[in-house]
Amino acid sequence: MDTLHIAQAFDIQGNILDIKPLGNGLINDTFKVVTDGPDDYVLQRINTAIFKDVELLQHNIECATAHIRSKGELTLNFIPCKATGKTYWTDGESHWRVSVFIKDAFTYETVNPEYSYYCGKAFGHFEALLADIPDTLGETIPDFHNMELRARQLREAVKADAAGRMAQPEVQAILKDLLPFGEEMCKAERLYREGVLPKRICHCDTKVNNMMFDASGNILCVIDLDTLMPSFVFSDFGDFLRTAANTVAEDDPAVEKVDFRMDIFEAFTKGYLESAKVFLTPIEVENLPYAACLFPYMQAVRFFADYINGDTYYKIKYPEHNLVRTRNQVALFHAALQKVPAMKTFIASVKE
Ligand code: GN1
Ligand code: MG
């Protein structure tokens, strides 16, 4: 079915003038719906191979956005389908949803320290806003940021060798590099089992481009709420730094240029601690440097497993794309690991 008919299934105002591709997400297909009415809209095809439970996905998003709106803050606004009143619609083949396009907003692929500080404050604030949500939210992707699961998926991919890529010497070398850190990186799951680390409602995809700014650099709102679910705060802290503190993009083939920027770390951490300190426990704060290492590591494992599996999960632009992403994230992991002592010193200094 064409996107025009799909968009018309939702309760949008005005006549549709144009529908065109929007953004560069790796998971869903996104379009901008231009109208002659007061608002434009964002139309998305939900990737149900990844988000298998659309009802739960939209339940989480509806509860969270309603809660945030009830506190007088700007958040995404999903439009009901005319026929069912639900915030998604299926044309029999795909699942679709529509939200109001946020006007005069900008997203960035990179940020300077000043913007990182605002992002830290905003993501900490976002978690604080959701800390007292009365509804029960589920995991839209079960065990999404569970490192034990990701490590197991890599072992399974290696064993199955579905794309015949294990014969490549570089693949063997990367595996040898990653494996020794597996146990250390699964610390969060152990702390959780010991009952000392809580799960909270987190965003779980705090890439820098999931934050909207106005023209003067003020944060407008956090977007891309699909992975909003109970998780460790490490998810939001670590994934932001994974994208923002890297000196290059996550798929830049120039691995020698990859580094973990301490200026970004410091600015973001300062902002994050300012707004999140109201609910963070000492064990969460103490492990933020671990989180900064965990996310490049986990992403390396995920890209690598996908490469070995024959690129079944992430959209790729060329055959080696997932291998290039893996190399980049492995380099970032090592860079972050070296800076753990400096990270600890900085956190101790802002806590005082
Ligand atoms: C995916 O679609 P996008 O770019 O927002 C992925 C994240 C990864 C990211 C890597 C549901 O996010 O977990 O960190 O790619 N989302 C899902 O760029 O797997
Ligand atoms: Mg995104």
PDB file of all heavy atoms in Angstrom, residues 61-88:
ATOM      1  N   ILE A  61       5.297   3.550  24.972  1.00  0.00           N
ATOM      2  CA  ILE A  61       5.451   4.917  24.454  1.00  0.00           C
ATOM      3  C   ILE A  61       4.272   5.795  24.889  1.00  0.00           C
ATOM      4  O   ILE A  61       4.462   6.931  25.317  1.00  0.00           O
ATOM      5  CB  ILE A  61       5.607   4.900  22.917  1.00  0.00           C
ATOM      6  CG1 ILE A  61       6.939   4.226  22.549  1.00  0.00           C
ATOM      7  CG2 ILE A  61       5.528   6.308  22.346  1.00  0.00           C
ATOM      8  CD1 ILE A  61       7.214   4.116  21.066  1.00  0.00           C
ATOM      9  N   GLU A  62       3.065   5.256  24.800  1.00  0.00           N
ATOM     10  CA  GLU A  62       1.893   6.052  25.187  1.00  0.00           C
ATOM     11  C   GLU A  62       1.947   6.409  26.676  1.00  0.00           C
ATOM     12  O   GLU A  62       1.673   7.543  27.056  1.00  0.00           O
ATOM     13  CB  GLU A  62       0.595   5.294  24.888  1.00  0.00           C
ATOM     14  CG  GLU A  62       0.211   5.369  23.428  1.00  0.00           C
ATOM     15  CD  GLU A  62      -1.007   4.508  23.123  1.00  0.00           C
ATOM     16  OE1 GLU A  62      -1.933   4.418  23.963  1.00  0.00           O
ATOM     17  OE2 GLU A  62      -1.021   3.905  22.032  1.00  0.00           O
ATOM     18  N   CYS A  63       2.292   5.444  27.520  1.00  0.00           N
ATOM     19  CA  CYS A  63       2.358   5.706  28.969  1.00  0.00           C
ATOM     20  C   CYS A  63       3.439   6.739  29.265  1.00  0.00           C
ATOM     21  O   CYS A  63       3.219   7.690  30.026  1.00  0.00           O
ATOM     22  CB  CYS A  63       2.679   4.433  29.753  1.00  0.00           C
ATOM     23  SG  CYS A  63       1.387   3.207  29.679  1.00  0.00           S
ATOM     24  N   ALA A  64       4.601   6.560  28.666  1.00  0.00           N
ATOM     25  CA  ALA A  64       5.722   7.457  28.971  1.00  0.00           C
ATOM     26  C   ALA A  64       5.444   8.866  28.470  1.00  0.00           C
ATOM     27  O   ALA A  64       5.676   9.842  29.196  1.00  0.00           O
ATOM     28  CB  ALA A  64       7.006   6.915  28.354  1.00  0.00           C
ATOM     29  N   THR A  65       4.925   8.986  27.249  1.00  0.00           N
ATOM     30  CA  THR A  65       4.696  10.338  26.715  1.00  0.00           C
ATOM     31  C   THR A  65       3.564  11.024  27.486  1.00  0.00           C
ATOM     32  O   THR A  65       3.644  12.216  27.767  1.00  0.00           O
ATOM     33  CB  THR A  65       4.398  10.322  25.196  1.00  0.00           C
ATOM     34  OG1 THR A  65       3.341   9.407  24.938  1.00  0.00           O
ATOM     35  CG2 THR A  65       5.616   9.939  24.388  1.00  0.00           C
ATOM     36  N   ALA A  66       2.546  10.272  27.883  1.00  0.00           N
ATOM     37  CA  ALA A  66       1.447  10.870  28.666  1.00  0.00           C
ATOM     38  C   ALA A  66       1.988  11.361  30.011  1.00  0.00           C
ATOM     39  O   ALA A  66       1.639  12.446  30.476  1.00  0.00           O
ATOM     40  CB  ALA A  66       0.329   9.845  28.881  1.00  0.00           C
ATOM     41  N   HIS A  67       2.866  10.569  30.611  1.00  0.00           N
ATOM     42  CA  HIS A  67       3.425  10.936  31.908  1.00  0.00           C
ATOM     43  C   HIS A  67       4.282  12.207  31.792  1.00  0.00           C
ATOM     44  O   HIS A  67       4.185  13.111  32.618  1.00  0.00           O
ATOM     45  CB  HIS A  67       4.255   9.767  32.444  1.00  0.00           C
ATOM     46  CG  HIS A  67       4.628   9.900  33.882  1.00  0.00           C
ATOM     47  ND1 HIS A  67       3.692   9.889  34.886  1.00  0.00           N
ATOM     48  CD2 HIS A  67       5.836  10.055  34.481  1.00  0.00           C
ATOM     49  CE1 HIS A  67       4.312  10.039  36.057  1.00  0.00           C
ATOM     50  NE2 HIS A  67       5.607  10.140  35.831  1.00  0.00           N
ATOM     51  N   ILE A  68       5.087  12.254  30.753  1.00  0.00           N
ATOM     52  CA  ILE A  68       5.955  13.423  30.553  1.00  0.00           C
ATOM     53  C   ILE A  68       5.097  14.666  30.260  1.00  0.00           C
ATOM     54  O   ILE A  68       5.328  15.746  30.794  1.00  0.00           O
ATOM     55  CB  ILE A  68       6.973  13.154  29.412  1.00  0.00           C
ATOM     56  CG1 ILE A  68       7.941  12.052  29.842  1.00  0.00           C
ATOM     57  CG2 ILE A  68       7.729  14.432  29.031  1.00  0.00           C
ATOM     58  CD1 ILE A  68       8.878  11.564  28.758  1.00  0.00           C
ATOM     59  N   ARG A  69       4.074  14.482  29.418  1.00  0.00           N
ATOM     60  CA  ARG A  69       3.187  15.604  29.075  1.00  0.00           C
ATOM     61  C   ARG A  69       2.452  16.117  30.317  1.00  0.00           C
ATOM     62  O   ARG A  69       2.246  17.314  30.475  1.00  0.00           O
ATOM     63  CB  ARG A  69       2.192  15.158  27.999  1.00  0.00           C
ATOM     64  CG  ARG A  69       1.899  16.238  26.981  1.00  0.00           C
ATOM     65  CD  ARG A  69       1.057  15.746  25.820  1.00  0.00           C
ATOM     66  NE  ARG A  69       1.789  14.846  24.950  1.00  0.00           N
ATOM     67  CZ  ARG A  69       1.500  13.567  24.737  1.00  0.00           C
ATOM     68  NH1 ARG A  69       0.465  13.006  25.339  1.00  0.00           N
ATOM     69  NH2 ARG A  69       2.222  12.839  23.929  1.00  0.00           N
ATOM     70  N   SER A  70       2.083  15.184  31.204  1.00  0.00           N
ATOM     71  CA  SER A  70       1.355  15.582  32.416  1.00  0.00           C
ATOM     72  C   SER A  70       2.227  16.460  33.313  1.00  0.00           C
ATOM     73  O   SER A  70       1.726  17.160  34.187  1.00  0.00           O
ATOM     74  CB  SER A  70       0.865  14.351  33.186  1.00  0.00           C
ATOM     75  OG  SER A  70       1.950  13.769  33.894  1.00  0.00           O
ATOM     76  N   LYS A  71       3.547  16.410  33.098  1.00  0.00           N
ATOM     77  CA  LYS A  71       4.442  17.270  33.877  1.00  0.00           C
ATOM     78  C   LYS A  71       4.758  18.557  33.119  1.00  0.00           C
ATOM     79  O   LYS A  71       5.685  19.291  33.478  1.00  0.00           O
ATOM     80  CB  LYS A  71       5.723  16.508  34.205  1.00  0.00           C
ATOM     81  CG  LYS A  71       5.450  15.311  35.104  1.00  0.00           C
ATOM     82  CD  LYS A  71       6.724  14.635  35.570  1.00  0.00           C
ATOM     83  CE  LYS A  71       6.387  13.509  36.550  1.00  0.00           C
ATOM     84  NZ  LYS A  71       7.557  12.872  37.114  1.00  0.00           N
ATOM     85  N   GLY A  72       4.011  18.794  32.041  1.00  0.00           N
ATOM     86  CA  GLY A  72       4.132  20.053  31.305  1.00  0.00           C
ATOM     87  C   GLY A  72       5.336  20.128  30.382  1.00  0.00           C
ATOM     88  O   GLY A  72       5.747  21.206  29.979  1.00  0.00           O
ATOM     89  N   GLU A  73       5.893  18.967  30.016  1.00  0.00           N
ATOM     90  CA  GLU A  73       7.072  19.009  29.146  1.00  0.00           C
ATOM     91  C   GLU A  73       6.753  18.488  27.744  1.00  0.00           C
ATOM     92  O   GLU A  73       5.853  17.675  27.557  1.00  0.00           O
ATOM     93  CB  GLU A  73       8.182  18.160  29.774  1.00  0.00           C
ATOM     94  CG  GLU A  73       8.477  18.625  31.182  1.00  0.00           C
ATOM     95  CD  GLU A  73       9.940  18.745  31.488  1.00  0.00           C
ATOM     96  OE1 GLU A  73      10.778  18.573  30.592  1.00  0.00           O
ATOM     97  OE2 GLU A  73      10.242  19.028  32.665  1.00  0.00           O
ATOM     98  N   LEU A  74       7.549  18.948  26.801  1.00  0.00           N
ATOM     99  CA  LEU A  74       7.348  18.553  25.405  1.00  0.00           C
ATOM    100  C   LEU A  74       7.838  17.122  25.189  1.00  0.00           C
ATOM    101  O   LEU A  74       8.916  16.745  25.644  1.00  0.00           O
ATOM    102  CB  LEU A  74       8.133  19.505  24.489  1.00  0.00           C
ATOM    103  CG  LEU A  74       8.018  19.240  22.981  1.00  0.00           C
ATOM    104  CD1 LEU A  74       6.602  19.527  22.485  1.00  0.00           C
ATOM    105  CD2 LEU A  74       9.024  20.072  22.201  1.00  0.00           C
ATOM    106  N   THR A  75       7.028  16.348  24.490  1.00  0.00           N
ATOM    107  CA  THR A  75       7.454  14.991  24.145  1.00  0.00           C
ATOM    108  C   THR A  75       6.751  14.596  22.845  1.00  0.00           C
ATOM    109  O   THR A  75       5.942  15.359  22.316  1.00  0.00           O
ATOM    110  CB  THR A  75       7.145  14.000  25.295  1.00  0.00           C
ATOM    111  OG1 THR A  75       7.646  12.707  24.947  1.00  0.00           O
ATOM    112  CG2 THR A  75       5.651  13.888  25.578  1.00  0.00           C
ATOM    113  N   LEU A  76       7.054  13.416  22.338  1.00  0.00           N
ATOM    114  CA  LEU A  76       6.420  12.982  21.093  1.00  0.00           C
ATOM    115  C   LEU A  76       4.929  12.784  21.316  1.00  0.00           C
ATOM    116  O   LEU A  76       4.494  12.397  22.396  1.00  0.00           O
ATOM    117  CB  LEU A  76       7.050  11.669  20.619  1.00  0.00           C
ATOM    118  CG  LEU A  76       8.508  11.755  20.160  1.00  0.00           C
ATOM    119  CD1 LEU A  76       9.007  10.369  19.748  1.00  0.00           C
ATOM    120  CD2 LEU A  76       8.664  12.732  19.001  1.00  0.00           C
ATOM    121  N   ASN A  77       4.164  13.052  20.248  1.00  0.00           N
ATOM    122  CA  ASN A  77       2.716  12.932  20.339  1.00  0.00           C
ATOM    123  C   ASN A  77       2.227  12.020  19.215  1.00  0.00           C
ATOM    124  O   ASN A  77       2.264  12.396  18.047  1.00  0.00           O
ATOM    125  CB  ASN A  77       2.115  14.348  20.223  1.00  0.00           C
ATOM    126  CG  ASN A  77       0.628  14.342  20.431  1.00  0.00           C
ATOM    127  OD1 ASN A  77       0.045  13.345  20.844  1.00  0.00           O
ATOM    128  ND2 ASN A  77      -0.001  15.463  20.115  1.00  0.00           N
ATOM    129  N   PHE A  78       1.807  10.825  19.576  1.00  0.00           N
ATOM    130  CA  PHE A  78       1.366   9.861  18.569  1.00  0.00           C
ATOM    131  C   PHE A  78      -0.130  10.016  18.286  1.00  0.00           C
ATOM    132  O   PHE A  78      -0.937  10.232  19.190  1.00  0.00           O
ATOM    133  CB  PHE A  78       1.712   8.433  18.991  1.00  0.00           C
ATOM    134  CG  PHE A  78       3.176   8.156  18.799  1.00  0.00           C
ATOM    135  CD1 PHE A  78       4.096   8.485  19.784  1.00  0.00           C
ATOM    136  CD2 PHE A  78       3.648   7.660  17.603  1.00  0.00           C
ATOM    137  CE1 PHE A  78       5.457   8.296  19.595  1.00  0.00           C
ATOM    138  CE2 PHE A  78       5.006   7.469  17.395  1.00  0.00           C
ATOM    139  CZ  PHE A  78       5.910   7.783  18.396  1.00  0.00           C
ATOM    140  N   ILE A  79      -0.472   9.914  17.017  1.00  0.00           N
ATOM    141  CA  ILE A  79      -1.837  10.172  16.543  1.00  0.00           C
ATOM    142  C   ILE A  79      -2.594   8.850  16.421  1.00  0.00           C
ATOM    143  O   ILE A  79      -2.073   7.894  15.854  1.00  0.00           O
ATOM    144  CB  ILE A  79      -1.758  10.845  15.147  1.00  0.00           C
ATOM    145  CG1 ILE A  79      -0.924  12.125  15.217  1.00  0.00           C
ATOM    146  CG2 ILE A  79      -3.131  11.107  14.556  1.00  0.00           C
ATOM    147  CD1 ILE A  79      -1.490  13.189  16.116  1.00  0.00           C
ATOM    148  N   PRO A  80      -3.833   8.812  16.926  1.00  0.00           N
ATOM    149  CA  PRO A  80      -4.577   7.557  16.798  1.00  0.00           C
ATOM    150  C   PRO A  80      -5.007   7.264  15.361  1.00  0.00           C
ATOM    151  O   PRO A  80      -5.181   8.172  14.551  1.00  0.00           O
ATOM    152  CB  PRO A  80      -5.800   7.765  17.696  1.00  0.00           C
ATOM    153  CG  PRO A  80      -5.867   9.220  17.982  1.00  0.00           C
ATOM    154  CD  PRO A  80      -4.538   9.833  17.700  1.00  0.00           C
ATOM    155  N   CYS A  81      -5.180   6.007  15.112  1.00  0.00           N
ATOM    156  CA  CYS A  81      -5.707   5.555  13.828  1.00  0.00           C
ATOM    157  C   CYS A  81      -7.208   5.813  13.842  1.00  0.00           C
ATOM    158  O   CYS A  81      -7.868   5.609  14.860  1.00  0.00           O
ATOM    159  CB  CYS A  81      -5.379   4.074  13.732  1.00  0.00           C
ATOM    160  SG  CYS A  81      -6.372   3.173  12.598  1.00  0.00           S
ATOM    161  N   LYS A  82      -7.765   6.283  12.713  1.00  0.00           N
ATOM    162  CA  LYS A  82      -9.184   6.657  12.666  1.00  0.00           C
ATOM    163  C   LYS A  82     -10.088   5.455  12.970  1.00  0.00           C
ATOM    164  O   LYS A  82     -11.084   5.576  13.672  1.00  0.00           O
ATOM    165  CB  LYS A  82      -9.533   7.186  11.273  1.00  0.00           C
ATOM    166  CG  LYS A  82      -9.046   8.601  11.017  1.00  0.00           C
ATOM    167  CD  LYS A  82      -9.557   9.025   9.638  1.00  0.00           C
ATOM    168  CE  LYS A  82      -8.625   9.987   8.969  1.00  0.00           C
ATOM    169  NZ  LYS A  82      -8.732  10.015   7.514  1.00  0.00           N
ATOM    170  N   ALA A  83      -9.739   4.303  12.458  1.00  0.00           N
ATOM    171  CA  ALA A  83     -10.624   3.149  12.584  1.00  0.00           C
ATOM    172  C   ALA A  83     -10.562   2.496  13.965  1.00  0.00           C
ATOM    173  O   ALA A  83     -11.588   2.055  14.483  1.00  0.00           O
ATOM    174  CB  ALA A  83     -10.280   2.121  11.507  1.00  0.00           C
ATOM    175  N   THR A  84      -9.386   2.428  14.560  1.00  0.00           N
ATOM    176  CA  THR A  84      -9.257   1.634  15.791  1.00  0.00           C
ATOM    177  C   THR A  84      -9.004   2.467  17.038  1.00  0.00           C
ATOM    178  O   THR A  84      -9.135   1.968  18.150  1.00  0.00           O
ATOM    179  CB  THR A  84      -8.062   0.658  15.664  1.00  0.00           C
ATOM    180  OG1 THR A  84      -6.869   1.447  15.538  1.00  0.00           O
ATOM    181  CG2 THR A  84      -8.205  -0.257  14.456  1.00  0.00           C
ATOM    182  N   GLY A  85      -8.597   3.712  16.865  1.00  0.00           N
ATOM    183  CA  GLY A  85      -8.266   4.545  18.020  1.00  0.00           C
ATOM    184  C   GLY A  85      -6.908   4.218  18.613  1.00  0.00           C
ATOM    185  O   GLY A  85      -6.465   4.851  19.570  1.00  0.00           O
ATOM    186  N   LYS A  86      -6.227   3.228  18.058  1.00  0.00           N
ATOM    187  CA  LYS A  86      -4.896   2.864  18.578  1.00  0.00           C
ATOM    188  C   LYS A  86      -3.820   3.711  17.890  1.00  0.00           C
ATOM    189  O   LYS A  86      -4.055   4.238  16.795  1.00  0.00           O
ATOM    190  CB  LYS A  86      -4.619   1.388  18.310  1.00  0.00           C
ATOM    191  CG  LYS A  86      -5.514   0.479  19.123  1.00  0.00           C
ATOM    192  CD  LYS A  86      -5.049  -0.952  19.034  1.00  0.00           C
ATOM    193  CE  LYS A  86      -5.960  -1.844  19.824  1.00  0.00           C
ATOM    194  NZ  LYS A  86      -5.407  -2.320  21.064  1.00  0.00           N
ATOM    195  N   THR A  87      -2.646   3.782  18.514  1.00  0.00           N
ATOM    196  CA  THR A  87      -1.602   4.631  17.932  1.00  0.00           C
ATOM    197  C   THR A  87      -0.744   3.864  16.918  1.00  0.00           C
ATOM    198  O   THR A  87       0.388   4.255  16.636  1.00  0.00           O
ATOM    199  CB  THR A  87      -0.690   5.216  19.020  1.00  0.00           C
ATOM    200  OG1 THR A  87      -0.117   4.124  19.740  1.00  0.00           O
ATOM    201  CG2 THR A  87      -1.437   6.141  19.946  1.00  0.00           C
ATOM    202  N   TYR A  88      -1.279   2.784  16.395  1.00  0.00           N
ATOM    203  CA  TYR A  88      -0.597   2.122  15.278  1.00  0.00           C
ATOM    204  C   TYR A  88      -1.663   1.520  14.384  1.00  0.00           C
ATOM    205  O   TYR A  88      -2.831   1.381  14.777  1.00  0.00           O
ATOM    206  CB  TYR A  88       0.375   1.048  15.771  1.00  0.00           C
ATOM    207  CG  TYR A  88      -0.289  -0.115  16.456  1.00  0.00           C
ATOM    208  CD1 TYR A  88      -0.747  -1.220  15.739  1.00  0.00           C
ATOM    209  CD2 TYR A  88      -0.489  -0.112  17.838  1.00  0.00           C
ATOM    210  CE1 TYR A  88      -1.380  -2.277  16.374  1.00  0.00           C
ATOM    211  CE2 TYR A  88      -1.117  -1.166  18.475  1.00  0.00           C
ATOM    212  CZ  TYR A  88      -1.560  -2.247  17.735  1.00  0.00           C
ATOM    213  OH  TYR A  88      -2.187  -3.273  18.362  1.00  0.00           O
TER     214      TYR A  88
END
